[in-house]
Amino acid sequence: ATFPNLEELKLEWNDIMREIWQGQLEAKFFCKLKVFEFIKFIPHSAALPHGFFQSLPNLEKLVVNEAPFNHIFEGLRDEEGSYGSTTLQLSELMLSKLLELTYIWKENYCESSAAFCNLTTIEVQECGKLKNLMPSSMLFANLTTLEVSDGLMNHLMSCSTAKSLTQLTKMIVIDCKMVEEIIACKCDEDEVNGGIVFSRLSFLQLSRLLNLKSFCLGDHIDIEFPALEKLIVNGCPRMEIFCQGDLSTPKLQQVQLTDYEDGENRQWEGKVTIQQMFDEKV
């Protein structure tokens, strides 16, 4: 039987899931499937296989909960067996309770980075071994929402990836105990020229990041938040400066800072610079 009109499917591991997993179902079986959620994946596997996406050509939302993957995506091949030309419809990626996950995309995932140009949402929760969130080889020009909790990353993204986030409106980072900076930039790289502009980011939350030192530690790297209206920083006791370079936040109206060392909640109403907040903290 085929399911020509099915648009949403939620499965635990079973025989149907096994066939999809092994790439035995042709695209016609789920030609309109847009949302696929699977939980409690049983067989041990390193990543989602190529055949999985070939079986679901119109997939827009992927939810993976409780699975033993080491990473999620491998290089995607087109019908001729080559990399680079495959483009997915995937716009939402939600991962949770993946206890063995160390990578979503491996750092050398440049051959098929264009496949994910439609992504608008990335949410990652309770993936405690995650070491790399966004490879420097990948750009996310349409991403609007980024939410991350837990993991072993020491930074979230490279400078080149950060500069591609022109559509990002919300960023939330919570409980990433090893993170020292959100953006890692090397001053000798050409990619830092012109600074970093988060054109549409209006909400930024950094919570319970015990080793966070700064949003960006790179010297003389200017950062602009022309649309930022609310900033929340709590439980980041090592953070004493937001960035080393010039910082622009012309629309910032509310800043909230809570330091676990004294338990005091400091909140600023009205226009205020982020550096004033950290001067007051010190």
Side-chain angles (χ1 to χ4, degrees):
T2 62
F3 304 89
N5 296 312
L6 187 66
E7 295 188 359
E8 296 189 19
L9 178 62
K10 180 178 180 180
L11 288 177
E12 293 190 26
W13 181 258
N14 56 26
D15 290 339
I16 294 177
M17 185 63 200
R18 182 180 291 107
E19 291 185 3
I20 297 174
W21 186 252
Q22 295 173 349
Q24 295 176 0
L25 294 183
E26 299 178 12
K28 65 180 181 181
F29 281 80
F30 294 99
C31 57
K32 292 186 179 180
L33 192 68
K34 296 180 180 180
V35 180
F36 188 18
E37 176 179 354
F38 66 90
I39 62 175
K40 297 182 180 178
F41 188 79
I42 296 174
H44 182 78
S45 181
L48 293 172
H50 307 304
F52 176 85
F53 292 103
Q54 293 171 352
S55 299
L56 306 172
N58 294 306
L59 188 66
E60 296 178 3
K61 180 178 180 179
L62 176 64
V63 180
V64 186
N65 185 8
E66 297 184 59
F69 301 138
N70 174 264
H71 56 284
I72 298 297
F73 299 105
E74 295 180 329
L76 301 173
R77 297 179 184 270
D78 59 22
E79 294 179 354
E80 297 178 354
S82 61
Y83 288 105
S85 60
T86 302
T87 300
L88 302 180
Q89 299 300 316
L90 192 66
S91 61
E92 297 182 60
L93 176 63
M94 299 180 178
L95 309 174
S96 63
K97 298 181 180 179
L98 308 182
L99 302 183
E100 300 301 321
L101 190 72
T102 55
Y103 304 91
I104 299 176
W105 302 269
K106 288 193 173 182
E107 183 61 41
N108 61 354
Y109 203 87
C110 58
E111 65 269 20
S112 54
S113 61
F116 300 93
C117 63
N118 292 314
L119 266 178
T120 61
T121 301
I122 298 176
E123 296 183 11
V124 182
Q125 299 178 352
E126 297 183 61
C127 300
K129 293 184 179 180
L130 186 63
K131 295 180 179 179
N132 187 305
L133 180 70
M134 293 177 157
S136 58
S137 58
M138 295 186 67
L139 308 179
F140 297 90
N142 290 306
L143 196 68
T144 61
T145 301
L146 176 62
E147 298 187 21
V148 186
S149 64
D150 208 353
L152 295 177
M153 304 83 69
N154 57 23
H155 66 273
L156 261 65
M157 65 190 74
S158 68
C159 189
S160 59
T161 299
K163 293 183 74 169
S164 75
L165 300 178
T166 56
Q167 302 300 312
L168 192 68
T169 61
K170 179 171 70 173
M171 183 191 302
I172 299 175
V173 187
I174 300 173
D175 289 324
C176 297
K177 52 184 175 293
M178 302 302 293
V179 165
E180 296 185 1
E181 57 184 335
I182 303 301
I183 303 171
C185 290
K186 298 179 181 179
C187 293
D188 56 348
E189 295 180 358
D190 293 337
E191 64 180 16
V192 303
N193 292 336
I196 303 171
V197 181
F198 290 94
S199 304
R200 298 191 176 186
L201 189 67
S202 61
F203 180 86
L204 173 60
Q205 179 177 351
L206 308 173
S207 296
R208 300 189 297 276
L209 308 178
L210 300 182
N211 282 296
L212 185 70
K213 298 177 181 178
S214 176
F215 190 81
C216 181
L217 290 170
D219 291 337
H220 309 300
I221 297 174
D222 300 338
I223 302 180
E224 298 180 36
F225 296 94
L228 187 63
E229 296 179 354
K230 185 172 183 179
L231 169 67
I232 297 175
V233 180
N234 55 36
C236 303
R238 299 188 64 187
M239 189 175 185
E240 295 186 354
I241 188 171
F242 193 86
C243 67
Q244 302 285 352
D246 292 336
L247 180 66
S248 174
T249 57
K251 290 188 177 181
L252 187 61
Q253 295 296 319
Q254 186 177 34
V255 181
Q256 181 177 319
L257 172 66
T258 304
D259 192 337
Y260 281 172
E261 291 181 352
D262 57 18
E264 184 179 352
N265 185 354
R266 303 181 180 89
Q267 183 165 309
W268 284 258
E269 296 288 351
K271 200 168 185 178
V272 63
T273 67
I274 295 176
Q275 194 51 50
Q276 280 179 298
M277 174 181 71
F278 288 102
D279 290 343
E280 176 67 18
K281 173 186 173 184
V282 174

